[in-house]
Amino acid sequence: MQSQYIAQNKDRFLSELFEILRIPSISADKAFLGDLRKTAEYVRDKMIAAGAENVVLEETAGNPIVYGDKIFDPSLPTVLVYGHYDVQPSVPDELWTTPAFEPTVRDGKIYARGACDDKGQMYMHLKAFETMMQTNSLACNVKFMIEGEEEVGSTNLGIYVVTNKEKLKADVILISDTGMIANDIPSIDVGLRGLSYVEVEVTGPNRDLHSGVYGGAVANPINILCTMIASMHDENRHITIPGFYDDVNVISEADRKALNSAPFILENYTKDLEIEDVMGEKGYTTLERTGIRPTFEVNGIWGGYIGEGAKTVLPSKAYAKISMRLIPNQKSAAITKLFSDYFISIAPKGVKVKVTPHHGGEAAITPTDSIAFKAASKAIEATYGKAPIPTFGGGSIPIVALFEKELGVKTVLMGFGLDSDAIHSPNEHYGLFNYYKGIETIPYFYKYFAEMMK
Ligand code: BES
Ligand code: MN
Ligand code: MN
């Protein structure tokens, strides 16, 4: 029944996704505020059309949250679906084969910003819900909470959650905003890393200087910034910030073994990225480096002359944006302070350093022995023909730790993307296979969860 309904409505499910993908809902840039609202309204309208009740745009100090629910039998368990309709900036636009906000199907994949992260995955939930409503098979109560600020730290959602605990009461939080190992190797993420994000500004002389007249005699803020950043890792690629690892729990050999038993072929990994070899913290495998170890990465660095041709100038200022991925027990605010104090302390005389913290978030581990996890496993097994492997995706969804803290509800990360989907990159895409497989799998989760909760 459900698969028939999905098959009959396949084309519309795709054209509706295309419509939402056309709206440039970039939350990092104020110029797109109107588009974020338009996207929220689109989600709201489609939520109503699918059969949800009490659908509203919850106003916040930022972009609206779309809430809706269908509570038809209080004796049944309630699933709280979370997703986000905002996306990352599309720059550099010239690297996209087709424009970021003109969705196009090529080789069985939908190319567009947000195709996978997270519009495509979020929208699967609305279409799965519509399918269950239309086939009279909705097995759980459902609440939807779709926000528009995930890519900028979910600050306003945090406030909303804290002030709406009763309204958001649920037995499980279901999120499709992560990935799988491969389409023939299903997996479920069981951990998210925390994040500390900072911007640094290094100021040298009070103005740009002639690099011949002053060069060699005055601190060049770009040179200094590069030296300071380079010193943040030692020869084993450990992070040198004093105290950085103090709260890192030792992982047991058994857990390490389990983590490393996930299929991973280094040769395919390096080939895909066109790199000769991987590089990371000594003593850890690639899966460990991305899954359960903290990191320090420069996300952007700029300053001085970057126009055409050559300009001989010793710049007054240099900047960098830096993200640190954190693991459970490390605290984002504490790490930001450790970094900030240390970075300022290592600056030589001749430059001034300013550190501006951006958003942060705590890591989260999702249980694998819960009913919800088992229901998700069974759902994936039903549609993929194989039980999913627990994995660590490496990314962050800071609101997950907050859900647990404030609502006391655990999350299942039933993601359908792939690492190769190029999320946050040019040519982001999402397989048609994955989109439809998600819509097909989600109703099984509801069914098994309801059955197992009895
Ligand atoms: N969907 C991602 C998180 C993700 C991706 C988790 C892949 C696991 C695997 C999410 O939209 C995201 O990009 N989060 C940001 C953090 C946020 C605070 C900006 C991230 O991880 O950089
Ligand atoms: Mn996402
Ligand atoms: Mn993202």
Side-chain angles (χ1 to χ4, degrees):
M1 262 268 268
Q2 283 167 351
S3 52
Q4 199 185 337
Y5 184 83
I6 295 167
Q8 280 163 355
N9 293 279
K10 227 172 168 226
D11 295 344
R12 180 175 52 84
F13 284 3
L14 189 61
S15 62
E16 286 179 12
L17 174 61
F18 270 38
E19 267 185 66
I20 192 173
L21 289 173
R22 286 195 186 98
I23 319 174
S25 52
I26 301 170
S27 52
D29 187 340
K30 283 181 203 65
F32 297 92
L33 275 182
D35 291 300
L36 280 138
R37 183 162 295 272
K38 255 195 235 162
T39 314
E41 287 166 352
Y42 186 83
V43 173
R44 175 196 63 195
D45 294 347
K46 292 300 175 193
M47 207 181 269
I48 295 171
E53 291 163 1
N54 305 307
V55 182
V56 279
L57 292 194
E58 305 273 25
E59 295 301 333
T60 71
N63 302 320
I65 297 159
V66 191
Y67 175 89
D69 60 31
K70 180 75 194 176
I71 311 291
F72 68 103
D73 182 349
S75 72
L76 289 174
T78 300
V79 178
L80 175 59
V81 175
Y82 164 82
H84 63 95
Y85 65 78
D86 65 318
V87 298
Q88 288 268 328
S90 56
V91 285
D93 286 295
E94 66 278 10
L95 294 184
W96 288 76
T97 304
T98 48
F101 296 102
E102 290 175 25
T104 314
V105 173
R106 278 198 305 279
D107 309 325
K109 295 170 195 126
I110 309 154
Y111 283 82
R113 169 59 82 234
C116 172
D117 183 15
D118 178 43
K119 285 173 173 170
Q121 296 208 65
M122 174 271 290
Y123 207 68
M124 296 178 326
H125 283 270
L126 290 189
K127 294 300 101 180
F129 173 64
E130 175 192 316
T131 301
M132 292 184 280
M133 290 296 285
Q134 292 298 323
T135 55
N136 276 316
S137 57
L138 185 63
C140 299
N141 297 310
V142 56
K143 296 179 179 177
F144 292 102
M145 181 172 59
I146 313 296
E147 72 150 322
E149 297 184 312
E150 195 276 341
E151 300 291 7
V152 291
S154 303
T155 310
N156 291 306
L157 181 72
I159 298 167
Y160 175 78
V161 167
V162 171
T163 48
N164 287 277
K165 290 186 188 176
E166 197 53 37
K167 181 168 182 169
L168 300 174
K169 255 183 122 166
D171 296 286
V172 66
I173 294 165
L174 182 62
I175 303 178
S176 297
D177 192 23
T178 52
M180 284 196 178
I181 296 174
N183 283 342
D184 57 353
I185 312 172
S187 61
I188 297 182
D189 274 11
V190 295
L192 292 163
R193 286 193 287 183
L195 184 68
S196 160
Y197 201 112
V198 295
E199 191 166 326
V200 298
E201 180 191 280
V202 178
T203 306
N206 61 359
R207 59 185 189 275
D208 287 1
L209 303 173
H210 187 289
S211 69
V213 177
Y214 288 96
V218 174
N220 178 324
I222 299 183
N223 291 21
I224 300 293
L225 177 59
C226 290
T227 308
M228 288 168 73
I229 285 173
S231 79
M232 303 309 280
H233 287 104
D234 69 13
E235 67 281 10
N236 293 322
R237 302 213 63 79
H238 274 75
I239 295 158
T240 54
I241 302 167
F244 187 83
Y245 293 99
D246 281 3
D247 293 329
V248 171
N249 291 336
V250 185
I251 174 171
S252 73
E253 279 309 311
D255 283 352
R256 279 185 87 165
K257 231 178 125 189
L259 188 150
N260 286 306
S261 69
F264 176 79
I265 301 166
L266 187 63
E267 203 192 320
N268 295 355
Y269 188 84
T270 51
K271 215 168 120 192
D272 173 50
L273 301 176
E274 295 180 40
I275 51 176
E276 219 169 284
D277 202 358
V278 291
M279 181 170 182
E281 193 182 358
K282 195 176 171 184
Y284 294 94
T285 65
T286 298
L287 287 177
E288 290 169 345
R289 288 167 180 169
T290 58
I292 51 132
R293 295 297 294 168
T295 64
F296 176 98
E297 296 291 337
V298 179
N299 294 253
I301 183 162
W302 70 103
Y305 182 68
I306 53 165
E308 211 178 303
K311 179 187 179 197
T312 47
V313 65
L314 192 162
S316 167
K317 284 176 186 289
Y319 306 83
K321 290 181 194 277
I322 295 165
S323 66
M324 288 162 275
R325 296 281 165 177
L326 311 176
I327 65 165
N329 211 39
Q330 283 184 302
K331 294 278 167 287
S332 173
I335 293 291
T336 300
K337 181 159 189 332
L338 285 181
F339 164 79
S340 179
D341 290 350
Y342 182 59
F343 208 67
I344 290 167
S345 81
I346 62 171
K349 280 189 189 133
V351 298
K352 287 191 266 313
V353 172
K354 195 171 114 193
V355 178
T356 310
H358 283 272
H359 49 69
E362 311 303 345
I365 293 283
T366 63
T368 52
D369 56 358
S370 67
I371 291 180
F373 187 86
K374 286 176 190 150
S377 273
K378 225 177 138 185
I380 288 173
E381 196 172 350
T383 55
Y384 283 76
K386 275 185 206 171
I389 300 164
T391 47
F392 292 83
S396 309
I397 308 177
I399 203 69
V400 171
L402 199 109
F403 284 151
E404 182 167 351
K405 180 166 166 256
E406 298 297 336
L407 302 176
V409 185
K410 303 255 195 226
T411 293
V412 171
L413 298 164
M414 200 165 71
F416 295 91
L418 299 176
D419 281 356
S420 54
D421 286 343
I423 63 173
H424 296 201
S425 282
N427 299 314
E428 174 178 354
H429 53 272
Y430 192 40
L432 290 170
F433 170 88
N434 306 68
Y435 182 56
Y436 291 119
K437 207 64 161 175
I439 298 172
E440 189 192 338
T441 306
I442 291 162
Y444 280 99
F445 173 81
Y446 283 66
K447 176 175 154 25
Y448 295 136
F449 188 57
E451 284 175 13
M452 294 160 104
M453 285 289 280
K454 264 191 199 143

